[in-house]
Amino acid sequence: MKTLKSILVALALTVVAAASAQTLKMEPQVVGVTTYEASTAINLVVVKPEIKLDNVDPALLAVNTNGIDRIVKSVYPSDARGAFNPEGEYLALGLEKASGRGLGLSKGAGVWKEEYSIKVALKQGKVLKVGKQKYTAIECSTDKALKDFVSEADYFNKGTFTGKLTGKPGDVELTYASYEPWSLKGDGVANPLVIWLHGGGEGGVDVSITLLGNEVVSLIRPEIQSHFTTEGGASGAYVLSVQCPTMWMGTSKGFGHGEYPSLYADVLKSCIDEFVSQHPDVDPNRIYLGGCSNGGYMTIHMLLRNPRYFAAAYPTCEAYLDANISDTEIKYLAEENIWFVQSYDDTTVDPKTHCIPTFQRLVKAGAKNVWMSMFEDVQGIDNPGQKLMGHFSWCYLFNDAVTKSQEQSTGDVKPNNDGGGTVAPQGHANIFEWMNAQVLTAPEPTPRQGR
């Protein structure tokens, strides 16, 4: 009898404990993607609790992103996109930056991962109190976190442009993103346009890959926007980033290094022309073109096909083989305003067969406004002391760290991690201030036929 009584008491206590152990359900909404100099990471998770929550101690929560445990640094009420709203029915969870270079999100070839898990829970032994109610668990998870996300790419307008392929029958569609600051639209003057062409891994049909994959969004941040000015108008510049479905180096005869015209040469020029025509406050004499690797190749290619159309060019780790640039083409390029950027230890695109001999030939041809920043290697700024792949010289560009050039000489190159050289081109403090100062004075020329 005594044993039965003990069993009944234990059962009663279990029932009471079970009744008091409540699970709070939350519905995952979106995640926030942050882009760094060489990778991307999720540093924000937005959820919708089944009841409104105001003050939640971050120390109570455990968050796991794609199998990695993260530290919650802040929790605040928000709207569905993570913007602070004291009356919001959502919660935004700010996460400590992931270790290393962040958590890679794209699975390559310009595609975001289809499967990416997020789980929010209460830490073991912790209790969340809401009024008189106590919650001992949180139920919140998804395997499709990247189906919707917020990022700096949201500040861009997205669109497509269809035009003719070059050297091959048929049309092709390009995807693009444009940053069009309201302060410039209303200033009543003509404004500069900065164009960026992506590398080999950011082609496709999702332009957010292009914007976030190489931290192209840094072009719209105040640090870089402040370098662009318009007399009598606001500071800043329009930004246009164009994405091709494959690689800029694709030709009608396969992958090329300048032997044949790019499939996308004509459609890219038409895309740029249409953007300029639709934005009458863009100054046609202040269009600046640049890109990395594949995009650096395309930058050189566009200069050769459209002489004196771009006020300045900033090819970065450019992949246009110098051996494929004729002496006649060097004479054309010598009339352009160009600032090359690369790291000497680049093993993906060898500077000794690409930008270095091209730079030296341009100097020999009498180029007055052609410069080259050559770094020793690529050192991380987001994570000081971290050495990155030598091909990642765009990190210096987007970190606003390209400040000097090599001497305009045909002599030996002396790589320098202090800005890329020893000369301040035209006395300017960095590549963007130099770019801002370049203005076409001659009438727009007729495109030269050939490649």
Side-chain angles (χ1 to χ4, degrees):
M1 189 71 178
K2 188 174 180 180
T3 302
L4 178 60
K5 184 177 180 181
S6 299
I7 294 175
L8 292 174
V9 169
L11 286 173
L13 291 173
T14 301
V15 170
V16 170
S20 62
Q22 295 292 318
T23 297
L24 177 64
K25 294 184 179 181
M26 296 182 178
E27 187 69 26
Q29 299 299 306
V30 299
V31 295
V33 174
T34 302
T35 183
Y36 298 108
E37 57 195 3
S39 66
T40 48
I42 285 178
N43 285 342
L44 181 74
V45 175
V46 181
V47 298
K48 184 178 182 181
E50 59 183 339
I51 61 172
K52 190 177 185 306
L53 299 177
D54 293 317
N55 298 316
V56 177
D57 184 356
L60 298 177
L61 302 179
V63 174
N64 185 287
T65 64
N66 207 36
I68 304 295
D69 290 331
R70 307 291 295 279
I71 296 174
V72 182
K73 299 291 291 184
S74 63
V75 180
Y76 58 88
S78 73
D79 64 13
R81 306 297 288 176
F84 175 74
N85 181 352
E87 304 302 323
E89 56 183 333
Y90 301 87
L91 278 186
L93 284 55
L95 310 180
E96 186 176 81
K97 179 183 174 182
S99 61
R101 291 189 286 110
L103 304 178
L105 303 179
S106 172
K107 66 179 182 182
V111 180
W112 293 103
K113 287 183 177 180
E114 295 176 2
E115 302 293 330
Y116 196 94
S117 63
I118 296 289
K119 183 176 181 180
V120 179
L122 271 180
K123 288 183 178 179
Q124 187 173 4
K126 298 293 185 180
V127 176
L128 175 62
K129 297 179 181 179
V130 182
K132 296 182 179 181
Q133 182 64 56
K134 295 181 179 180
Y135 294 95
T136 56
I138 289 176
E139 182 180 301
C140 180
S141 64
T142 179
D143 290 327
K144 306 287 185 181
L146 294 181
K147 186 176 181 181
D148 187 19
F149 62 85
V150 296
S151 72
E152 288 175 284
D154 297 338
Y155 293 107
F156 288 75
N157 298 320
K158 317 297 193 307
T160 59
F161 179 84
T162 301
K164 298 294 183 182
L165 285 165
T166 301
K168 185 178 180 180
D171 293 343
V172 64
E173 184 178 81
L174 304 181
T175 309
Y176 67 85
S178 61
Y179 175 67
E180 305 168 22
W182 283 104
S183 60
L184 299 188
K185 286 189 173 185
D187 66 1
V189 296
N191 300 287
L193 169 63
V194 179
I195 301 173
W196 178 259
L197 305 178
H198 61 79
E202 295 80 47
V205 295
D206 185 346
V207 75
S208 69
I209 291 284
T210 298
L211 296 173
L212 301 176
N214 298 124
E215 204 178 11
V216 179
V217 291
S218 68
L219 291 174
I220 74 170
R221 294 172 185 165
E223 294 83 356
I224 291 179
Q225 283 281 306
S226 65
H227 295 310
F228 293 94
T229 58
T230 302
E231 186 175 355
S235 296
Y238 281 78
V239 176
L240 176 65
S241 183
V242 187
Q243 180 186 40
C244 76
T246 56
M247 294 187 182
W248 298 114
M249 297 171 77
T251 77
S252 61
K253 300 182 182 298
F255 190 79
H257 292 81
E259 305 94 327
Y260 308 104
S262 166
L263 287 170
Y264 308 105
D266 293 328
V267 66
L268 174 59
K269 178 59 164 54
S270 297
C271 178
I272 294 171
D273 287 341
E274 179 172 270
F275 181 84
V276 173
S277 69
Q278 292 180 349
H279 297 80
D281 60 325
V282 167
D283 188 345
N285 292 317
R286 297 184 67 199
I287 301 175
Y288 310 120
L289 178 69
C292 65
S293 194
N294 251 252
Y297 151 87
M298 197 61 173
T299 298
I300 299 297
H301 193 48
M302 294 297 285
L303 292 178
L304 290 170
R305 292 179 67 88
N306 306 278
R308 301 300 293 161
Y309 176 85
F310 301 100
Y314 56 113
T316 305
C317 53
E318 59 93 356
Y320 203 110
L321 196 64
D322 177 72
N324 290 325
I325 303 177
S326 69
D327 290 340
T328 299
E329 289 172 328
I330 283 291
K331 292 180 180 179
Y332 279 106
L333 288 181
E335 298 298 318
E336 304 288 345
N337 305 318
I338 309 172
W339 190 327
F340 296 90
V341 179
Q342 194 159 11
S343 178
Y344 198 71
D345 68 339
D346 190 336
T347 57
T348 302
V349 175
D350 187 351
K352 293 184 290 296
T353 55
H354 291 76
C355 78
I356 290 177
T358 299
F359 172 74
Q360 293 174 334
R361 291 171 69 195
L362 288 170
V363 170
K364 188 175 181 180
K368 302 300 183 184
N369 199 11
V370 173
W371 311 93
M372 181 178 68
S373 294
M374 185 60 61
F375 294 85
E376 298 174 49
D377 51 26
V378 182
Q379 298 288 335
I381 292 179
D382 285 330
N383 293 281
Q386 181 185 32
K387 186 176 178 180
L388 305 176
M389 281 184 62
H391 192 48
F392 290 4
S393 49
W394 60 79
C395 296
Y396 286 117
L397 179 76
F398 292 136
N399 280 322
D400 202 6
V402 180
T403 58
K404 299 173 186 174
S405 167
Q406 299 286 308
E407 292 187 10
Q408 290 181 318
S409 166
T410 58
D412 292 339
V413 173
K414 300 176 181 178
N416 184 347
N417 274 1
D418 181 17
T422 58
V423 177
Q426 297 183 325
H428 295 291
N430 57 59
I431 192 172
F432 295 111
E433 289 191 7
W434 168 85
M435 198 184 305
N436 179 66
Q438 310 310 312
V439 182
L440 290 180
T441 55
E444 181 180 332
T446 301
R448 180 169 58 86
Q449 296 302 312
R451 57 176 173 166

